[in-house]
Amino acid sequence: MSRWINGLVEAAIEADLIQSRDRTYARNRLLDWLNETPADEVASGSIVHLLDRLIDGAVETGMIEDFVAEREILGARLMDVFVPSPSVIEQVFYQKYNEDKQAATNYFYTLSENSNYIQTERIKKNISYKVETAYGAIDMTINMSKPEKDPKEIARQKQSGASGAGYPTCLLCVENEGYAGRLDHPARTNHRIVPLELGGENWYLQYSPYVYYNEHCILLSEEHRDMVIDRGTFTRLLDFVGKFPHYFAGSNADLPIVGGSILSHDHYQGGQYTFTMADAKERETFVFEEYPSITGASLQWPLSVIRLKGKVQADLVACATHILETWRGYSDQENDILAETDAPHNTVTPIARMRDEVYELDLVLRNNRTTDEHPLGIFHPHADIHHIKRENIGLIEVMGLAVLPARLKEELEAVISFVETGSATVVPMHQAWAEELRDRYDGKEDARAFVYEAVGHKFVRGLEDCGVFKLTATGDAGLRRFIKACQPAQETAQ
């Protein structure tokens, strides 16, 4: 494997992970890890290709078993040879930040890509496209990037017990930085985070290993604590976009069903990407009497969004907090909104950005109440959407990017064939939809494009289900009543 080791070292030098002065040091570290003897031959290829070849060699020699977790643990350990220590990365990041904020994030993102922490080759497996809708172009992604474990690996993981379980406490804890990993916890040896101060607290910036959009980052609290949406959330989000105005930042909601997949660790997501919701048209504008520096608007968007704009961060935080507190206790039976039954139901999904030196804060109104008719949520994709998407509609989907399950790739092939021929065997949950598509298909366009576009429109229908105030006369009247409820009560004339 020595030729692959030499090749990986040269590729790391070319990617500026290390300097040529580090060549011998890095090569010797890898030779030691892999129990190899030196050689002069140098293999060529990308970092990912050369790394995979070394891991394959380790499998062939019996060093590791051909399990996803073991391959990732070894791969992260080998790449860590080329990754600077956290203190060095922090120093370089802030040196660049003081000169050019975007240069700092460019440096850290490129490092995360070149070190193979961001799984660029796996991400290329995703099926991504856009669909034009009444709300603009919606981003569609069938998520093929996360590797599936085979039954033998799953069985071994169960047999191994809980060795090391509880550390790190969760996938987002700061203790993941440099953690070797185990069968039931991903390898993070080559993982780095950069400290930030947000709202007077210690937070950290990292990138997602499976980015869904450009420079998809995660902001995580130093403290392991539950997700919560409150005044502090708005302060920290606006702090972040003030410090990094080329990025947006948003938070999943803090309640089940309408929240994200990890509610046990306070965190946000951000990045350098303009989602379609950011450019959604304003429908109605309004002002809040107690916050004259803030302007508000409702949006032409399937979910119910209140957009606040202002130049004074403190005023924006105060206005958003008032709206949140009003919404927490607000009911509108005409629109099926109950603030509380056996538990609280109302919350928001907030998204912050800077535009032309003005802060924008979008508050997406959410409600997680369930009924016998809609056991997964009244304001969750309804049963007719579940064959496409039944998972939570979190921050990314709210903004207009569908993250769909990998099963769809194969299932849609059968639907496409059925639309074309009428004879293919379709998964039962798609049957009624496939028949509907076949009835509509006129044969003039490509069947694949026709079906994939239909998936996009199904997803948008699911987003519409999530809107608490629908874009109807009843919904519009309901949203106006809520905006009025956020205004100060008028004194009765004596």
Side-chain angles (χ1 to χ4, degrees):
M1 290 190 287
S2 294
R3 60 190 295 262
W4 304 103
I5 289 173
N6 293 340
L8 183 60
V9 170
E10 295 307 313
I13 293 172
E14 187 175 346
D16 288 330
L17 282 172
I18 59 174
Q19 304 300 310
S20 58
R21 171 67 179 82
D22 304 317
R23 178 183 283 110
T24 300
Y25 170 81
R27 182 179 61 185
N28 286 335
R29 291 279 308 278
L30 295 176
L31 288 169
D32 180 52
W33 272 118
L34 296 169
N35 195 26
E36 285 291 313
T37 55
D40 294 331
E41 189 176 358
V42 180
S44 60
S46 68
I47 286 176
V48 174
H49 168 73
L50 294 163
L51 182 64
D52 283 345
R53 187 64 192 88
L54 286 173
I55 296 170
D56 288 342
V59 172
E60 292 165 7
T61 60
M63 179 180 294
I64 63 170
E65 292 195 57
D66 195 14
F67 291 154
V68 170
E70 291 204 19
R71 292 179 67 92
E72 290 185 342
I73 289 170
L74 178 60
R77 182 172 290 170
L78 297 178
M79 288 307 302
D80 187 50
V81 169
F82 308 113
V83 183
S85 67
S87 61
V88 171
I89 291 174
E90 178 184 350
Q91 182 180 24
V92 174
F93 181 89
Y94 280 106
Q95 284 175 346
K96 292 181 178 295
Y97 179 89
N98 290 333
E99 298 176 2
D100 182 343
K101 297 174 181 179
Q102 192 161 347
T105 54
N106 287 347
Y107 157 74
F108 190 35
Y109 185 75
T110 301
L111 175 69
S112 299
E113 277 193 316
N114 289 342
S115 66
N116 202 45
Y117 177 73
I118 296 176
Q119 300 288 311
T120 53
E121 290 302 311
R122 289 182 184 168
I123 294 163
K124 291 177 183 178
K125 297 178 182 178
N126 289 344
I127 299 171
S128 300
Y129 61 104
K130 292 180 180 287
V131 173
E132 289 295 334
T133 74
Y135 306 100
I138 299 296
D139 292 301
M140 305 295 298
T141 296
I142 297 177
N143 184 12
M144 306 298 299
S145 59
K146 294 186 179 180
E148 296 184 7
K149 296 181 179 181
D150 67 28
K152 289 183 179 179
E153 182 170 5
I154 294 171
R156 180 178 166 186
Q157 179 178 322
K158 290 180 179 178
Q159 291 169 2
S160 67
S163 176
Y167 181 88
T169 305
C170 79
L171 294 173
L172 294 176
C173 282
V174 296
E175 289 80 14
N176 282 281
E177 186 177 38
Y179 183 66
R182 55 182 190 267
L183 289 180
D184 61 347
H185 193 100
R188 292 290 183 260
T189 320
N190 58 336
H191 171 48
R192 300 291 186 269
I193 56 180
V194 170
L196 306 169
E197 183 179 308
L198 299 177
E201 294 183 350
N202 293 331
W203 281 61
Y204 292 85
L205 167 69
Q206 69 170 71
Y207 289 100
S208 170
Y210 296 99
V211 296
Y212 289 123
Y213 51 84
N214 188 46
E215 297 183 39
H216 180 180
C217 68
I218 299 172
L219 310 172
L220 54 98
S221 169
E222 181 176 67
E223 179 187 1
H224 178 79
R225 67 189 188 205
D226 289 346
M227 292 278 294
V228 63
I229 304 296
D230 58 12
R231 176 185 291 269
T233 306
F234 304 140
T235 299
R236 290 186 288 272
L237 290 175
L238 292 169
D239 262 5
F240 179 77
V241 298
K243 292 179 177 182
F244 300 91
H246 56 293
Y247 274 14
F248 79 90
S251 174
N252 272 302
D254 54 356
L255 294 178
I257 297 176
V258 295
S261 58
I262 300 179
L263 295 177
S264 61
H265 195 117
D266 208 2
H267 70 284
Y268 313 134
Q269 297 180 73
Q272 190 171 12
Y273 189 72
T274 301
F275 287 88
T276 301
M277 192 185 86
D279 291 331
K281 295 179 181 178
E282 296 183 353
R283 300 185 76 227
E284 297 182 11
T285 59
F286 38 83
V287 294
F288 297 95
E289 294 179 20
E290 293 185 346
Y291 310 99
S293 69
I294 304 302
T295 59
S298 59
L299 301 184
Q300 180 68 26
W301 194 247
L303 289 94
S304 306
V305 186
I306 295 174
R307 174 165 293 168
L308 304 176
K309 299 179 185 179
K311 290 190 173 184
V312 181
Q313 180 179 323
D315 291 353
L316 205 57
V317 169
C319 183
T321 303
H322 175 66
I323 293 171
L324 171 64
E325 291 173 350
T326 304
W327 176 243
R328 292 279 195 195
Y330 189 81
S331 296
D332 183 335
Q333 295 196 7
E334 191 173 350
N335 286 284
D336 286 329
I337 300 167
L338 296 181
E340 186 168 349
T341 54
D342 56 334
H345 297 305
N346 287 354
T347 185
V348 301
T349 299
I351 301 107
R353 68 184 69 83
M354 292 288 288
R355 194 178 334 233
D356 299 327
E357 299 184 349
V358 174
Y359 288 106
E360 288 186 356
L361 184 60
D362 292 345
L363 303 179
V364 186
L365 305 178
R366 311 299 300 274
N367 178 287
N368 76 342
R369 187 165 72 94
T370 62
T371 63
D372 290 340
E373 181 183 2
H374 300 295
L376 295 185
I378 300 172
F379 303 106
H380 176 86
H382 291 173
D384 63 314
I385 310 296
H386 291 176
H387 66 107
I388 296 296
K389 175 78 174 178
R390 65 179 290 136
E391 298 82 7
N392 290 359
I393 298 298
L395 171 68
I396 293 174
E397 288 92 353
V398 162
M399 296 185 291
L401 191 159
V403 181
L404 303 178
R407 62 174 173 81
L408 283 179
K409 179 182 179 181
E410 183 176 340
E411 292 171 2
L412 291 179
E413 290 302 315
V415 173
I416 292 165
S417 182
F418 181 85
V419 166
E420 288 181 311
T421 67
S423 59
T425 301
V426 174
V427 174
M429 64 178 169
H430 294 310
Q431 188 65 47
W433 177 61
E435 291 173 1
E436 173 194 330
L437 293 181
R438 178 160 173 77
D439 290 341
R440 284 169 33 203
Y441 183 60
D442 59 12
K444 294 180 180 179
E445 62 177 301
D446 177 68
R448 180 177 302 277
F450 175 76
V451 170
Y452 271 75
E453 182 178 8
V455 171
H457 289 293
K458 267 279 185 177
F459 172 71
V460 170
R461 267 276 297 105
L463 292 184
E464 290 173 339
D465 289 338
C466 299
V468 294
F469 296 111
K470 310 300 184 194
L471 299 182
T472 63
T474 300
D476 287 346
L479 181 56
R480 292 189 196 104
R481 286 194 298 272
F482 174 65
I483 297 300
K484 185 176 181 181
C486 293
Q487 303 289 3
Q490 299 297 317
E491 295 185 5
T492 305
Q494 300 295 321

